[in-house]
Structures are given as structure tokens and as C-alpha cells.
Amino acid sequence: DLVGDSSLPDPVTYQYYKQLKDRKIVINEQIDSNIVEMVMLPLLQMDNDGTGKKITIYINTNGGSVYDGLCLCNIIEGLKTETEIIVLGYAYSMGSIILMSGKNNPNVTRKCYPFSTALIHGGSAYVGGTASQVKDYFKFNEKFEKRIADFIVSHTNLTEDDYAAIERYEAYMDSDEMLEKGLVDEIL
């Protein structure tokens, strides 16, 4: 009986390594600095191992840190290996931006299931410090938000006006809208 066998890894760890062995990366957590070891480094290794075997990235995330997630977007933009990104359940907030990152890379296809959903919205920030520090961060953040808006427009079928209209609220999308708006290439 395996129940209670403390020598077995927990199911999440077991599945993570099992999937890596099959060239599958699962993003099923909040996007934070752990994405470096859990997603980016394995992805870079797979892309540069010389096998040319397809990579699959599964997304099921509420989002998280923009700064950590955008590093992954940079990597996806430059992938040389055939890669598919599949939304299992949801790609919210930073998860939707990661999904978008493959749009202009001919080696990447983006897919979702009929009941998959996505969310695009303006980011949130919490600032503390001296008045000068807050002003400096606010200036930087305005410039950075513009860069993200430009990325979203160039990686979807949304126009600048479309994005401006949805940026201030929660723009949830079902799979049909994800396809129409260009977040995915195919519904499975």
C-alpha cells in the first residue's frame, strides 16, 4: 500500500519532474521569482539541447509578478524549437501576457481548450518610501505600462483603442474571444 509511504515525493513534485522528462513545462502557480528555476532554465535547456524535439508549456495561472513573467516572455520570443503553449484552464493577468508572447515567433503555437479563459487588465502597484522615491517609481511605472500596452497590441488582434477601453477593468475572455482577439491560434 503506497498511502502514507514517506519515501514517495509529493504528487506535485513527482508530476513536475515527470513532465520535464517529456519536454513539458507546467505553469500552475503564481508567477514569481521561482519561475526562473521552474520554467525559464528548463525551457532554455530544452531549446538549446540540440534535439529539436517539441516543447509544450501548459499554463494554468492567476498571474503574478510582471517583472518575473516578462523575463519568460523574452525567452519565448526567441525560441528556436517548435513549442506549443496550451492554456489548461486559465491564463489570467501575467499568464495572458505569457500566452501572448509566442504570437510573433513562427516556432510557437498557442492553444486552449473550449472551457479555457483569459484575463487582461491593467496592473497594480504598491509603493512606499519617501515622496521622491514614490515620484520616481510612478514615472518609471507609467513608462513601463506603456511598453506593456505596446506589447499587448503587437501580440494580439487588439488595437490601441481596444486596449485602452479594457485596460481599466477586468477583461475576461472565453476561448472563442481568446481566438478572436488573437491570444490563441487554435481551440483544441
Side-chain angles (χ1 to χ4, degrees):
D1 184 41
L2 297 177
V3 177
D5 184 348
S6 63
S7 68
L8 294 172
D10 68 272
V12 173
T13 303
Y14 172 77
Q15 282 300 322
Y16 173 76
Y17 287 108
K18 182 177 183 251
Q19 298 308 316
L20 279 183
K21 188 176 176 186
D22 293 333
R23 301 180 65 81
K24 297 174 182 173
I25 297 173
V26 180
I27 303 172
N28 188 34
E29 300 286 334
Q30 185 85 5
I31 305 299
D32 60 18
S33 61
N34 290 329
I35 199 170
V36 173
E37 291 84 11
M38 302 301 291
V39 177
M40 287 189 255
L41 292 176
L43 182 58
L44 285 168
Q45 182 181 11
M46 289 175 195
D47 191 41
N48 292 297
D49 68 3
T51 67
K53 293 179 183 172
K54 184 176 84 173
I55 301 166
T56 303
I57 301 170
Y58 292 102
I59 296 179
N60 196 62
T61 181
N62 281 320
S65 167
V66 170
Y67 299 108
D68 292 312
L70 289 174
C71 295
L72 176 56
C73 293
N74 288 331
I75 292 169
I76 293 171
E77 293 279 293
L79 289 173
K80 303 174 299 289
T81 304
E82 178 188 358
T83 303
E84 63 181 358
I85 302 172
I86 300 175
V87 179
L88 291 172
Y90 48 91
Y92 291 169
S93 193
M94 187 61 228
S96 68
I97 295 173
I98 292 169
L99 176 62
M100 293 172 202
S101 64
K103 177 151 179 114
N104 300 322
N105 183 335
N107 299 316
V108 177
T109 55
R110 302 154 314 131
K111 303 173 182 180
C112 70
Y113 289 100
F115 288 109
S116 298
T117 57
L119 166 65
I120 300 174
H121 65 152
S124 59
Y126 304 95
V127 183
T130 66
S132 295
Q133 290 169 330
V134 170
K135 287 178 188 175
D136 289 344
Y137 179 78
F138 184 77
K139 246 173 40 179
F140 170 78
N141 199 52
E142 278 188 317
K143 187 169 87 174
F144 204 73
E145 281 184 6
K146 172 70 171 119
R147 179 174 272 180
I148 293 170
D150 291 345
F151 181 89
I152 289 170
V153 168
S154 68
H155 287 74
T156 64
N157 297 336
L158 297 169
T159 66
E160 286 184 25
D161 290 338
D162 292 336
Y163 181 70
I166 66 171
E167 147 180 61
R168 297 283 178 234
Y169 70 93
E170 308 282 289
Y172 288 94
M173 298 178 199
D174 63 20
S175 58
D176 293 329
E177 292 167 304
M178 292 166 67
L179 183 62
E180 174 192 334
K181 306 288 188 205
L183 275 72
V184 295
D185 306 305
E186 177 185 341
I187 299 172
L188 297 169

